[in-house]
Amino acid sequence: MPRWRRTHTCGELRESHIGQTVVLNGWVNTYRDHNIFVFVDLRDRYGMTQLVFEPERGLELFRQAQELRSEWVIAVRGTVARRLPGKENPDLATGTVELKVEDMQVLNRCPTPPFEVVEITEEAKERKREKVREKGKELEGREEQLANEELRLQYRYLDLRRPSLQRILGLRHRLNKVIRDYLDARGFLEIETPLLGRSTPEGARDYLVPSRLFPGSWYALPQSPQLYKQLLMVAGYDKYFQIARCLRDEDLRADRQPEFTQLDLEMSFVDREDIFHVIEGLTAEIFQKCLGVTIPLPLPRLSYPDAMLRYGTDKPDLRYGLEIVDLCGVVPQTEFRVFHEAVASGGKVRGLNARGAAEAFSRKGLDELTEHAKRFGAKGLVWIKVEGDKLTSPIEKFLPPPAQQALRQALGASPGDLLLIVADQEEIVCQALGNLRTRLASLLNLVDPNKPDFKIAWIVDFPQFLWDDEEKRWVANHHPFTAPLEEDWEKLERDPAGVRAQAYDLVINGYECGGGSIRIHNPELQARVFAVLGMTPEQARQRFGFLLDALRYGAPPHGGIALGLDRWVMILAGTTNIRDVIAFPKNQKARDLMTGAPAPVDPKQLKELGL
RNA sequence: GGGGGCGUAGCUCAAUUGGUCAGAGUACCGGACUGUCGAUCCGGUGGUUGCGGGUUCGAGUCCCGUCGCCCUCGCCA
């Protein structure tokens, strides 16, 4: 091999190397056999270099070159040469030179791959289109499309050869490095915590691991290192972080995998502002070093109630407006029974203004919007088209002139606008309008996928508890160790719904990218919170005894946050599919199509585990 | 568990209302070609239309079931 060890990578050669004898190793990306020349684009993760084979270098070598096929692995030795004038390839970083091959070793052959690994850049496509146009031919409808994702996941090692996936994994590496450097420079310690732990109630479904030595007992894989990091605070490791794998046995989504990675972080002797400060600095650093984008600081903050009112969600996409407006004040002037009934029964009437969108939606389009709203529990959707000084709507006859005037004013309506209104219980109004808002943004192309735009905000003042109608009890909104706002402590027992938590989420472009809180460091307060959650002291002791004990042994005030790194990479990379940012992801049923996991095991293994 | 979408050649897709429709591009194989770069040109191989059943003179197309994949609701402290 030493004779064939590469001297350069496939992305490296430039005009300065002209005349040098070099060795390249890589995969055959494409080959072009011209009878008297063979061109090969040799690819590795650094780039691509054009190889030229000519018969005068030896017929044996040339015949070998004609045999080359996609994805063969080869080593070549040759002389770097300037390309002929006018034959440069502007799509390649190495496009001014080529390698005149003098010797070659086929390191491995490859059967015809199940799908093409070759990736054509947008620039190359555009150049091709231009060429076709010059020749006066019609542009053929041949657009590159990726093979079925199922197939690509099955042959993940082939799909991962694609430059765009290699770029994303490179970005992911860079993100990890920026985080480690940033936190290291500020005195944080990276500490690992166990994967085999104890199952805790509340929260997501655990992945369980049977114990061989204690038949019938189980470890749980961590949903997050939450408890351990609090214990580290008690232990005096006042600035901790970990890039930690977390596992939750819940159903998957486009932005959710059963195993994912968090930047887990915790600090002692801090309040919310200290956490914000660290994370805002880190956020700016990440965007600067990964994308060269400057994020203005401090980051804006939005209270949970405000977010719910204006955007219908606690993770609003702030890249566009379409803000929701409360219209309860306008209802008395209308004669629409549905509005009056909603308000009378404690519900809300709210709407939003899709500016200039009246033309964009036909009757059919409006029906589709209505269907969309209904999917989230709304009984209907009121639409109003603003046409000059006239309002066109199915409920027009219930809107006397004063009501029309008031609606226009409340929603800031101008001619050409489309107003959409939902009346129902508040939760449903929020869900319906919140989802309508994102739907409209997509239909109206309010977000340009090719123009990087990052709107980052903190969501604060979450409620401490939510009522679980199924279990008929209060559940922790964030988690049971979150500290309530001090001024709300007195409400704990008499008005749980009114207790605000010292919790915060970090939202980027509509994705929840982080969440954390100031924790409870006082065992009495912790016991009171457990009580609200319906846990008896005995249950609390049984489940979290070690934490309650630790809090008694000199726990410092502390708090922290966890960032969902997979989602960060998604946003940095501009993809909407979490599988694009994980080297070996699971499919939607949590299967690994490449290895076949999960799979049955040998009965012998089960017997050893007492199963 | 519910809702929606998809499944046709190795790959990406097409195939009026059920009626020579099983096709195109690409890949692959063979040939031509003195500078290509998604090479081009000529020719060829390649299909149990996911699987099973049904309706029909006739099913890729309609019906029922089933499997797989994607999106989504529930779920995800």
Side-chain angles (χ1 to χ4, degrees):
Chain A
M1 190 63 195
R3 194 172 121 70
W4 292 109
R5 176 167 296 138
R6 63 182 170 189
T7 58
H8 298 76
T9 70
C10 294
E12 203 173 339
L13 298 179
R14 296 290 185 275
E15 286 172 86
S16 58
H17 297 92
I18 287 171
Q20 292 183 22
T21 296
V22 303
V23 176
L24 296 183
N25 298 167
W27 286 263
V28 174
N29 190 67
T30 50
Y31 60 93
R32 297 175 288 280
D33 182 352
H34 277 247
N35 193 37
I36 194 121
F37 298 105
V38 172
F39 298 100
V40 168
D41 291 334
L42 195 67
R43 183 192 68 229
D44 62 17
R45 78 176 167 91
Y46 307 94
M48 219 135 54
T49 303
Q50 172 162 285
L51 313 179
V52 190
F53 294 86
E54 293 162 317
E56 44 266 40
R57 306 278 176 179
L59 231 54
E60 185 58 29
L61 171 66
F62 190 71
R63 292 227 172 83
Q64 246 190 320
Q66 288 183 305
E67 298 291 309
L68 291 174
R69 289 297 177 268
S70 295
E71 303 309 317
W72 286 28
V73 190
I74 60 173
V76 288
R77 178 190 311 280
T79 309
V80 182
R82 183 186 300 281
R83 288 202 184 192
L84 298 180
K87 302 297 181 185
E88 299 84 3
N89 184 348
D91 296 330
L92 292 184
T94 61
T96 56
V97 297
E98 60 193 5
L99 189 68
K100 303 269 194 193
V101 179
E102 286 141 23
D103 202 0
M104 169 170 72
Q105 172 90 28
V106 174
L107 301 175
N108 231 333
R109 299 157 78 104
C110 177
T112 304
F115 54 88
E116 291 171 59
V117 175
V118 176
E119 220 169 43
I120 291 101
T121 61
E122 276 308 313
E123 295 74 30
K125 268 191 211 170
E126 187 45 48
R127 276 160 44 81
K128 178 77 178 185
R129 286 193 200 106
E130 222 156 273
K131 233 172 164 178
V132 171
R133 253 175 257 133
E134 274 170 24
K135 284 183 182 167
K137 283 193 201 165
E138 277 302 302
L139 181 67
E140 275 184 40
R142 182 182 160 196
E143 286 297 326
E144 214 57 27
Q145 259 180 310
L146 287 177
N148 193 339
E149 193 183 14
E150 191 178 352
L151 190 71
R152 288 186 288 120
L153 286 175
Q154 194 183 334
Y155 296 90
R156 185 63 168 175
Y157 43 87
L158 293 181
D159 205 28
L160 285 171
R161 286 182 191 165
R162 285 166 41 222
S164 55
L165 280 185
Q166 296 191 334
R167 179 187 75 91
I168 291 175
L169 292 189
L171 194 60
R172 186 167 185 140
H173 162 83
R174 180 114 189 104
L175 172 66
N176 285 340
K177 170 133 172 66
V178 169
I179 288 170
R180 287 201 166 98
D181 289 348
Y182 179 89
L183 294 176
D184 174 67
R186 282 156 186 78
F188 283 79
L189 285 187
E190 183 169 14
I191 302 174
E192 290 163 276
T193 55
L195 283 180
L196 296 174
R198 176 181 181 138
S199 176
T200 54
E202 308 249 340
R205 193 176 296 114
D206 286 318
Y207 277 103
L208 296 174
V209 178
S211 160
R212 175 177 57 86
L213 297 176
F214 297 92
S217 284
W218 302 74
Y219 297 99
L221 301 177
Q223 300 176 20
S224 80
Q226 181 61 37
L227 292 170
Y228 294 110
K229 71 174 171 181
Q230 290 193 242
L231 296 170
L232 284 170
M233 293 305 110
V234 178
Y237 296 83
D238 62 331
K239 291 180 187 176
Y240 143 92
F241 82 100
Q242 179 180 192
I243 293 180
R245 198 62 66 83
C246 304
L247 299 108
R248 298 178 186 176
D249 188 4
E250 297 291 348
D251 284 350
L252 286 73
R253 286 287 187 282
D255 63 349
R256 250 162 50 189
Q257 282 270 305
E259 74 182 291
F260 61 101
T261 305
Q262 285 187 343
L263 165 61
D264 193 48
L265 181 148
E266 196 82 2
M267 299 166 77
S268 292
F269 312 115
V270 294
D271 60 21
R272 199 178 72 171
E273 296 304 324
D274 297 302
I275 306 287
F276 283 4
H277 185 74
V278 169
I279 297 301
E280 291 190 359
L282 175 60
T283 298
E285 181 97 340
I286 288 169
F287 276 89
Q288 196 67 57
K289 295 222 163 133
C290 292
L291 296 182
V293 167
T294 303
I295 300 293
L297 298 181
L299 296 175
R301 302 177 191 185
L302 200 55
S303 79
Y304 173 86
D306 209 20
M308 293 307 288
L309 172 65
R310 289 161 63 192
Y311 305 103
T313 173
D314 60 359
K315 46 180 171 110
D317 191 336
L318 300 171
R319 286 177 295 180
Y320 46 87
L322 293 177
E323 281 194 30
I324 298 164
V325 174
D326 193 273
L327 300 172
C328 291
V330 177
V331 167
Q333 292 160 75
T334 73
E335 292 162 8
F336 191 43
R337 214 184 58 200
V338 172
F339 286 179
H340 287 272
E341 282 173 357
V343 173
S345 62
K348 300 286 181 193
V349 178
R350 289 176 187 168
L352 57 80
N353 180 354
R355 292 189 193 286
E359 293 290 321
F361 290 93
S362 62
R363 193 56 192 256
K364 198 175 152 210
L366 291 166
D367 285 346
E368 277 164 13
L369 289 181
T370 305
E371 279 311 306
H372 195 72
K374 283 181 176 173
R375 274 200 279 281
F376 298 95
K379 289 187 268 305
L381 175 69
V382 171
W383 56 264
I384 301 173
K385 285 185 175 178
V386 185
E387 291 169 341
D389 29 290
K390 190 170 167 303
L391 296 186
T392 305
S393 170
I395 67 157
E396 191 187 335
K397 57 176 174 284
F398 303 115
L399 301 175
Q404 296 202 6
Q405 197 47 46
L407 272 176
R408 279 172 180 271
Q409 199 173 2
L411 289 162
S414 338
D417 289 354
L418 173 66
L419 315 180
L420 298 167
I421 302 172
V422 173
D424 215 306
Q425 293 309 302
E426 183 166 7
E427 199 185 325
I428 289 175
V429 172
C430 285
Q431 279 210 17
L433 285 175
N435 283 289
L436 212 50
R437 185 174 169 269
T438 53
R439 178 84 186 143
L440 283 168
S442 141
L443 290 172
L444 297 170
N445 295 316
L446 297 185
V447 174
D448 182 351
N450 298 316
K451 212 180 76 194
D453 181 19
F454 306 99
K455 288 292 183 300
I456 313 177
W458 292 106
I459 311 296
V460 299
D461 294 341
F462 283 85
Q464 177 90 13
F465 304 106
L466 294 177
W467 180 252
D468 186 325
D469 226 19
E470 262 179 44
E471 295 196 39
K472 301 290 177 213
R473 66 176 185 95
W474 294 100
V475 295
N477 185 20
H478 189 59
H479 59 57
F481 321 111
T482 300
L485 271 182
E486 211 158 328
E487 65 242 49
D488 290 348
W489 287 10
E490 47 95 18
K491 292 189 202 163
L492 269 174
E493 288 78 15
R494 63 172 179 82
D495 177 23
V499 178
R500 286 164 297 168
Q502 296 191 55
Y504 33 82
D505 277 0
L506 188 66
V507 173
I508 308 179
N509 292 358
Y511 285 95
E512 183 194 324
C513 285
S517 62
I518 300 301
R519 328 294 182 186
I520 298 170
H521 64 279
N522 157 333
E524 285 80 38
L525 182 62
Q526 184 68 70
R528 285 174 67 191
V529 169
F530 281 150
V532 177
L533 296 173
M535 246 184 270
T536 65
E538 294 71 34
Q539 284 172 327
R541 175 134 295 282
Q542 194 197 347
R543 292 166 180 171
F544 301 112
F546 58 99
L547 178 69
L548 294 174
D549 280 341
L551 293 181
R552 288 171 52 231
Y553 281 99
H558 62 287
I561 192 166
L563 305 185
L565 292 189
D566 310 274
R567 288 182 187 165
W568 277 74
V569 182
M570 284 172 68
I571 284 160
L572 294 172
T575 178
T576 54
N577 180 347
I578 196 170
R579 293 179 297 275
D580 287 346
V581 303
I582 296 173
F584 299 102
K586 308 280 189 289
N587 78 355
Q588 211 214 4
K589 284 248 177 77
R591 281 211 295 179
D592 179 338
L593 294 178
M594 186 181 62
T595 66
V601 296
D602 195 308
K604 232 170 78 189
Q605 288 177 282
L606 293 179
K607 205 175 156 199
E608 277 185 326
L609 294 166
L611 295 174

